[in-house]
Amino acid sequence: MPAARRGGLLSECLARAASAAIVTLFCTAAAAVAYPEFQTFAEKHSGRPTNCAMCHVSPDGPIGDGDGQIGSLSESEMARLNKARAALEPGQDVDSPILNEFGNHIIKALGKSKVLELRNDPAKLVEALGTKSDLDGDGIPDSLEYAEGTDPLNQFHGEPWRLFVNNLSREKVHVFLALAATVALVFGLSNFIRGINVLLERRLGGD
């Protein structure tokens, strides 16, 4: 192979390696800008242990090569990630592959700029999100689930008393019907037993 050709191939390989290194460095740096302040607040406020899975796909956060982490993303997923990172204002379409439904909801509802601002006072995320969103439909607003350190995407995970009250209110018709059926059953059984006793007493009296 001519020396010029070898030199050209070598230059191309070096350029690709440099490009890959730059991309890796950029991704690692961007991923390193995670927001542990929100997790720390939820843990301290609620007394419950929480992990990155509250907002991220991976419970270990965005850094790494596992599912839902930067190192495993395809080219199209990287495009989705960069689009989500550019969603500085609220109301934009957000579908980050490293965030779960709740994480994407936060960015869409508030915008990336507001989220960055709230890092200085993560308690204010509760007020910023409001009480209208309830992604898992358990009756507890996502903002309160964040503050209480429970999973906003799991309808069976929440503050027990709140879940009980909400489920009781939601299923009150079924609860009423169940209670009515139980009362009717007890009433019927008690009358059945009373009737048997009356028959036995009559038979014994006749004997």
Side-chain angles (χ1 to χ4, degrees), residues 176-192:
F176 173 77
L177 292 176
L179 287 174
T182 302
V183 170
L185 179 62
V186 171
F187 180 77
L189 284 174
S190 63
N191 281 306
F192 178 71

Side-chain angles (χ1 to χ4, degrees), residues 15-46:
R16 287 183 178 179
S19 177
I22 290 172
V23 170
T24 302
L25 179 62
F26 170 78
C27 292
T28 304
V33 186
Y35 310 136
E37 297 88 351
F38 298 105
Q39 179 183 339
T40 300
F41 164 77
E43 285 189 334
K44 288 183 177 179
H45 183 267
S46 67

Side-chain angles (χ1 to χ4, degrees), residues 166-207:
N166 291 336
N167 287 328
L168 183 63
S169 176
R170 184 165 49 239
E171 302 295 337
K172 57 187 175 185
V173 173
H174 295 90
V175 171
F176 173 77
L177 292 176
L179 287 174
T182 302
V183 170
L185 179 62
V186 171
F187 180 77
L189 284 174
S190 63
N191 281 306
F192 178 71
I193 294 172
R194 188 179 297 114
I196 291 177
N197 286 333
V198 169
L199 290 175
L200 288 175
E201 288 174 358
R202 287 178 179 177
R203 178 171 295 181
L204 291 174
D207 294 341

Side-chain angles (χ1 to χ4, degrees), residues 61-171:
I63 303 173
D65 298 322
D67 291 341
Q69 294 183 315
I70 294 285
S72 68
L73 299 184
S74 65
E75 185 176 341
S76 62
E77 288 171 330
M78 280 301 303
R80 286 166 49 201
L81 175 60
N82 290 328
K83 183 179 179 181
R85 285 172 173 166
L88 299 179
E89 300 301 322
Q92 299 184 53
D93 183 29
V94 178
D95 182 25
S96 171
I98 65 172
L99 295 177
N100 62 22
E101 186 180 2
F102 181 52
N104 280 310
H105 169 72
I106 293 174
I107 302 298
K108 183 175 182 178
L110 304 180
K112 192 68 176 287
S113 296
K114 184 65 175 179
V115 173
L116 293 173
E117 176 188 327
L118 290 173
R119 291 179 64 189
N120 297 320
D121 193 352
K124 290 185 178 179
L125 180 62
V126 179
E127 180 182 354
L129 284 176
T131 58
K132 293 183 179 180
S133 174
D134 179 16
L135 294 173
D136 59 8
D138 62 2
I140 305 176
D142 298 326
S143 56
L144 290 184
E145 296 231 41
Y146 156 69
E148 293 172 354
T150 57
D151 188 351
L153 300 178
N154 184 345
Q155 63 178 333
F156 302 109
H157 192 236
E159 199 280 319
W161 177 249
R162 287 184 187 274
L163 285 178
F164 172 75
V165 172
N166 291 336
N167 287 328
L168 183 63
S169 176
R170 184 165 49 239
E171 302 295 337

